Amino acid sequence: MTPAARVAALVALVACGPGASPRNAPPADPPSIASAEGTQAAAFWNGATVYFLLTDRFENGDPGNDRALGRARDAAPLRGFEGGDLAGVLRRIEEGYFDSLGVDAIWLTPFVEQIHGSVDEGTGRTYGYHGYWTRDWTAVDPALGTGEDLRRLVDAAHRHGIRVLMDAVINHTGPPTPQDPRWPDDWVRTSPQCTYRDYTTTVDCTLVATLPDIRTDRDDAVELPPALVEKWRREGRLDRERAELDAFFRRTGYPRAPRYYIIKWLTDWVRDYGFDGYRVDTAKHFEEAVSDALKREAGRAFADWKQAHPARVLDSLPFYMVGEVYGYAAGQGRSYDFGDRTVDFFAHGYDGLINFGFKGDAAGPLDLLFTRYAAALRDGALRGVAILNYVSSHDDGSPYDRGRADPFGAGTRLLLAPGSAQIYYGDELARPLVIAGAEGDANLRSMMNWPDLECGGSTAEVLRHWRKLGRFRRAHPAVGAGAHRRLQAEPYVFSRILEMDGRVDRVVVAMDQGEGAKTIPVGDVFPDGVELVDAYSGATGRVADGRITLATAFGLVLLGERR
Ligand SMILES: [Ca+2]
Ligand SMILES: [Ca+2]
């Protein structure tokens, strides 16, 4: 791929779709973050918008699967399966909901088969509706749909030029219950519980009391758990699964240790369905060798999928892995401190990390945040890697603006910040984060508030705001990945410029403007005579004397060249 083609792929994001010529990445090892391909990938992902949703809580596309597995209806409020499913996500993809928000990638909560029973961790009886309580890594949970539903979802997303990130859990199994036997002792430990004092008390321990910790440290061979053997025999696929495992271990030469079984199962979804990346759960609770191997095998699986489906390949971007290192903040650079040891997760398979510092940074001066983030990502400690910013999430009980007092301001901050933007489902509809009767994280996970949108009013206005920003972001990778410069302090005006191999994307953003006529300095970003369009209002004008005058009804102006 020539440098110019690489830039075209980066800048013309929307143009990447079915029918684009396949450019298969070299299959062997994933590119290192220091490589040219890695730099291109970091620019893409920092400019990208990722939509994170809980499949069970987004849209019920198939009421026929709501009672799958006969799970009891005895959960505490918002702690059982609520009916959302893969068919519901597919429906929204096909109707263009994600396109309308400028979404580049959808991150689905884990869809693999969950425990059938429930546990109470002190916040009420809870089922595995969230997907983080695995029972079988090789099956789709029937309450969310079928393998065919999953295939349709990924294919439809790709047709829309949208990538799909799978949520990969490797640190723990689901909790044992009367219906869900504990995995054998050579697979898991059930004590001690993590105390987070140092590396060992974060890694070699159970995350919470109920979650058996996979023995990711072991290298000696283990047998398949008897319960899984029995399940697969019942389902008529035991021989096939065993043969596939034999082939995997023969090909890779890995020992038959627990982590490699799970890596085989996780990467099969990539090879068979074409997932474009992983969001890796609880990344600081297992050894770096695990993420190294997971990335290596996922990269191979992705290359295999591309080779087998040339017509469906989006472009040459390599497999992407973003980690959840709980508490990591962009300000920490590349060192996460366990107390007795620091780890550079970016050197162990992760192209990006979730930025738990954004919500705090976003509460401070905006130009300070923008200046620091852009500098770190472009020329500083985070050069060549990505961060994923968020204002709310599924397990952050102290999000930015918990009361949804200003969903417009939250959208402006998130979607104009350097780095990837994570829209958590409902951020764009001001979905409430405090729910009467709900305990703990259930507050953050209500059913998507589509009815509020149908009512119009302020919810529809909030969505319009997020859509304009999201589409501006998608059209202009400079927003998330470009160099930042303040052009005026008050009212605040700034520019972002992304140069890649001779092609340049430029934007100027003006905030806190009054309604009506406004004059915005564009510095030397755009030469006199150039016609600019304001993506927020649709107004156009020409630059004269280093400024542009427009009349719009809004305080926010999003300027780029008319294309
Ligand atoms: Ca359903
Ligand atoms: Ca662990």
Side-chain angles (χ1 to χ4, degrees), residues 266-284:
L266 286 172
T267 54
D268 277 353
W269 295 107
V270 177
R271 184 173 280 104
D272 296 343
Y273 290 77
F275 284 94
D276 305 276
Y278 289 142
R279 175 270 186 185
V280 179
D281 188 53
T282 59
K284 71 177 181 187

Side-chain angles (χ1 to χ4, degrees), residues 151-203:
R151 193 177 303 285
R152 279 196 285 266
L153 187 160
V154 176
D155 288 350
H158 285 166
R159 280 198 303 276
H160 284 249
I162 297 172
R163 286 157 223 268
V164 187
L165 304 182
M166 173 178 169
D167 204 323
V169 180
I170 196 167
N171 178 63
H172 51 267
T173 69
T177 78
Q179 296 103 299
D180 303 283
R182 184 159 74 77
W183 288 52
D185 286 339
D186 52 5
W187 275 81
V188 299
R189 64 167 70 79
T190 53
S191 67
Q193 194 177 337
C194 299
T195 52
Y196 310 103
R197 287 195 314 275
D198 53 22
Y199 187 86
T200 301
T201 56
T202 303
V203 173

Side-chain angles (χ1 to χ4, degrees), residues 497-533:
I497 300 178
L498 179 65
E499 283 187 60
M500 288 275 290
D501 301 332
R503 289 273 298 266
V504 186
D505 182 38
R506 320 160 186 268
V507 297
V508 167
V509 173
M511 297 170 64
D512 309 320
Q513 300 284 318
E515 285 186 24
K518 58 208 69 177
T519 297
I520 297 153
V522 300
D524 55 4
V525 178
F526 297 110
D528 284 356
V530 159
E531 185 176 27
L532 301 181
V533 60

Side-chain angles (χ1 to χ4, degrees), residues 170-172 189 194 200 202-207 212-217 282 284-287:
I170 196 167
N171 178 63
H172 51 267
R189 64 167 70 79
C194 299
T200 301
T202 303
V203 173
D204 303 330
C205 48
T206 69
L207 187 59
D213 191 55
I214 293 284
R215 293 293 307 269
T216 51
D217 54 329
T282 59
K284 71 177 181 187
H285 296 289
F286 48 83
E287 297 78 2

